[in-house]
Amino acid sequence: MTDDDRVFKALADPSRRLLLDLLFARDGRTLTELESELEMTRFGVAKHLRVLEEAGLVVTRRSGREKLHHLNAVPIRQIHDRWIDKYTEKHVTTLIDLKRTLEEES
């Protein structure tokens, strides 16, 4: 399985996307904090976090007795650059050219 495949697999699940949104809103949360935001067991949340970690979307750091989970947005940016940006570039360039043409005519 490639890195892209792991990221797409991780992003395919709504619970995992919610976990990423929670970490985006406030980074460095414990499993207990994340568990309180979802309607699933601690084991279920831990399992989803493990998939996110394997995809490189979440990294953990120990702080004393706590294990803090942090968002790593780099893999998402790489997916954007590889799969999204190249498909929108032509359209954006066309719109910019159209804007310039309309402004010059005015």
Side-chain angles (χ1 to χ4, degrees):
M1 186 178 285
T2 68
D3 291 342
D4 283 357
D5 291 336
R6 285 183 188 88
V7 173
F8 280 117
K9 177 186 172 188
L11 294 175
D13 186 274
S15 296
R16 290 193 284 266
R17 291 192 305 267
L18 176 58
L19 286 167
L20 293 175
D21 287 340
L22 293 170
L23 291 173
F24 179 80
R26 188 170 58 78
D27 214 12
R29 294 185 189 215
T30 64
L31 175 59
T32 302
E33 291 174 295
L34 293 168
E35 175 192 3
S36 70
E37 300 282 344
L38 284 100
E39 293 184 16
M40 68 176 62
T41 65
R42 181 177 184 84
F43 178 76
V45 174
K47 195 172 178 180
H48 283 298
L49 285 170
R50 190 172 26 251
V51 172
L52 292 169
E53 285 182 61
E54 289 170 0
L57 294 167
V58 170
V59 294
T60 59
R61 181 178 59 83
R62 288 237 175 244
S63 177
R65 295 176 58 190
E66 295 182 321
K67 183 178 179 182
L68 302 176
H69 298 82
H70 297 272
L71 173 66
N72 178 21
V74 172
I76 295 173
R77 180 58 194 228
Q78 290 172 326
I79 291 290
H80 173 269
D81 292 349
R82 166 69 175 94
W83 291 101
I84 298 169
D85 201 36
K86 74 177 182 182
Y87 293 108
T88 60
E89 185 177 336
K90 182 179 176 184
H91 300 296
V92 171
T93 303
T94 303
L95 288 173
I96 290 170
D97 291 343
L98 177 62
K99 180 179 182 273
R100 281 191 199 126
T101 302
L102 291 173
E103 289 174 347
E104 288 171 3
E105 291 177 2
S106 297

